[in-house]
Amino acid sequence: MPEAPDRRLPEPDSPEIFQLFPLESVRQLYKFLHERRDSPPSTQEIHAFVADRFGAQSEAIRRLRSIRDCFVVQRTQTGRIHRYQLLGWKADAPDTMRGTLSRATRARILAPQRCAQCGRTPLGDKVKLHVDHKIPLSWGGEDDDDNLQPLCEECNLGKRDFYATYDSHSDAIRNATRHDEPHGRIGELLKALEGEWVPSDLISIVASMKQYQDDWQRRLRELTVLGWVYHNRVTRPAGSRRALSEYCLVEWTPWPEGPIRAAIEEGKRRKRARDND
């Protein structure tokens, strides 16, 4: 596979790598290969690395394939042992694997010249604006204008770091974001992680992905009208002053035909009628 000799390998924690690889597991594997360039790891070591950090040994080759979309990873064999060495950029590597925006799109999204999160401006506050995906590409977001916003560099990096803490749930989040209604997004997230304790922060993010929900807890409670059952607990992590609220799905029912909101309102109406009898 031909290399691009004039392009230096990016550092593992560089913005370029975050743009190329939305998934934390791929970025960590790139970092592992980058650090082991002088002593290339074996297939077994790569599997062990991925399994140890992400509990999914079977995903190692797929993650490696993602890296090979942009970089030359040479495989050599000594006896029965295969080793993988990160060499450089592929000659035909794209600038980004996904999410390449046109100049016109970038100009249109940045035109307000104000950070959508903190309100600071390049002229008044000397901040640099970035085009941010409200729903990250790795979580099923798209490049359309409705999913793009201007964020200053500080807010963008802060959001990225916060969202990255939930990258291990990216498949569940991606599935939940396909639902148009907030009840559906919350429910699909809990279904995908059934039996696990799901942090309230993650539920809030997913609930607000298409429309901001200032009372997502109410949307969650309303699922009980459909026969859903979940448990709630509040813990305080060691060394933290902040209490952590979590939810665990116990039982769920199929979604009704038609809008979920309409089914919930009908369920409430019937309950009121029974209570008044």
Side-chain angles (χ1 to χ4, degrees), residues 253-269:
T253 60
W255 295 119
E257 294 184 7
I260 299 174
R261 162 59 70 186
I264 289 175
E265 292 303 321
E266 176 62 17
K268 290 180 179 179
R269 186 193 66 77

Side-chain angles (χ1 to χ4, degrees), residues 21-277:
F21 305 127
L23 287 179
E24 172 70 12
S25 56
V26 179
R27 296 196 297 268
Q28 288 297 321
L29 181 55
Y30 173 84
K31 183 176 182 180
F32 180 59
L33 293 172
H34 191 277
E35 293 173 345
R36 293 284 302 271
R37 283 173 294 165
D38 294 332
S39 58
S42 66
T43 306
Q44 291 76 13
E45 288 177 300
I46 290 175
H47 278 294
F49 175 83
V50 174
D52 179 60
R53 284 161 178 75
F54 302 100
Q57 180 173 330
S58 62
E59 296 294 309
I61 297 303
R62 190 168 73 173
R63 303 302 188 238
L64 181 61
R65 191 179 302 122
S66 295
I67 295 173
R68 280 179 148 172
D69 285 340
C70 286
F71 299 97
V72 176
V73 181
Q74 180 175 278
R75 185 177 70 174
T76 58
Q77 182 176 358
T78 303
R80 295 184 177 182
I81 299 177
H82 291 85
R83 297 188 178 278
Y84 296 82
Q85 184 176 23
L86 178 66
L87 296 179
W89 286 93
K90 288 173 58 177
D92 59 348
D95 291 332
T96 56
M97 289 173 59
R98 302 177 60 194
T100 302
L101 302 176
S102 68
R103 294 178 183 176
T105 298
R106 290 181 56 82
R108 184 168 62 252
I109 299 303
L110 297 178
Q113 289 295 292
R114 182 178 297 276
C115 175
Q117 186 162 303
C118 71
R120 291 185 295 177
T121 66
L123 184 61
D125 304 288
K126 309 302 181 185
V127 296
K128 180 179 180 180
L129 294 179
H130 295 252
V131 176
D132 169 67
H133 288 80
K134 298 175 185 177
I135 303 176
L137 294 171
S138 60
W139 291 4
E142 302 293 343
D143 283 335
D144 51 58
D145 284 14
D146 289 342
N147 191 45
L148 302 174
Q149 64 180 348
L151 287 186
C152 70
E153 187 169 38
E154 182 177 355
C155 288
N156 192 34
L157 292 176
K159 178 191 170 187
R160 184 195 69 191
D161 291 346
F162 174 53
Y163 277 29
T165 61
Y166 296 118
D167 270 353
S168 59
H169 299 312
S170 59
D171 290 340
I173 296 169
R174 188 182 304 110
N175 182 61
T177 58
R178 298 191 182 105
H179 217 291
D180 289 333
E181 295 185 74
H183 299 90
R185 292 193 293 276
I186 293 171
E188 288 299 325
L189 176 68
L190 293 176
K191 281 168 58 179
L193 301 175
E194 187 175 4
E196 300 181 35
W197 288 100
V198 184
S200 58
D201 284 346
L202 179 55
I203 298 175
S204 175
I205 290 171
V206 172
S208 296
M209 277 187 162
K210 295 190 176 181
Q211 313 92 15
Y212 175 70
Q213 304 294 315
D214 58 358
D215 193 5
W216 63 265
Q217 294 95 333
R218 182 178 179 182
R219 307 285 88 79
L220 177 59
R221 290 193 301 270
E222 287 175 336
L223 290 178
T224 61
V225 176
L226 302 178
W228 289 49
V229 180
Y230 59 83
H231 293 159
N232 173 234
R233 72 179 183 185
V234 178
T235 60
R236 192 179 299 277
S240 174
R241 296 182 179 180
R242 180 171 177 262
L244 176 64
S245 180
E246 299 175 306
Y247 297 84
C248 180
L249 184 63
V250 176
E251 185 178 340
W252 56 274
T253 60
W255 295 119
E257 294 184 7
I260 299 174
R261 162 59 70 186
I264 289 175
E265 292 303 321
E266 176 62 17
K268 290 180 179 179
R269 186 193 66 77
R270 292 180 179 179
K271 183 179 184 303
R272 288 193 297 267
R274 291 194 301 269
D275 292 342
N276 291 333
D277 287 345

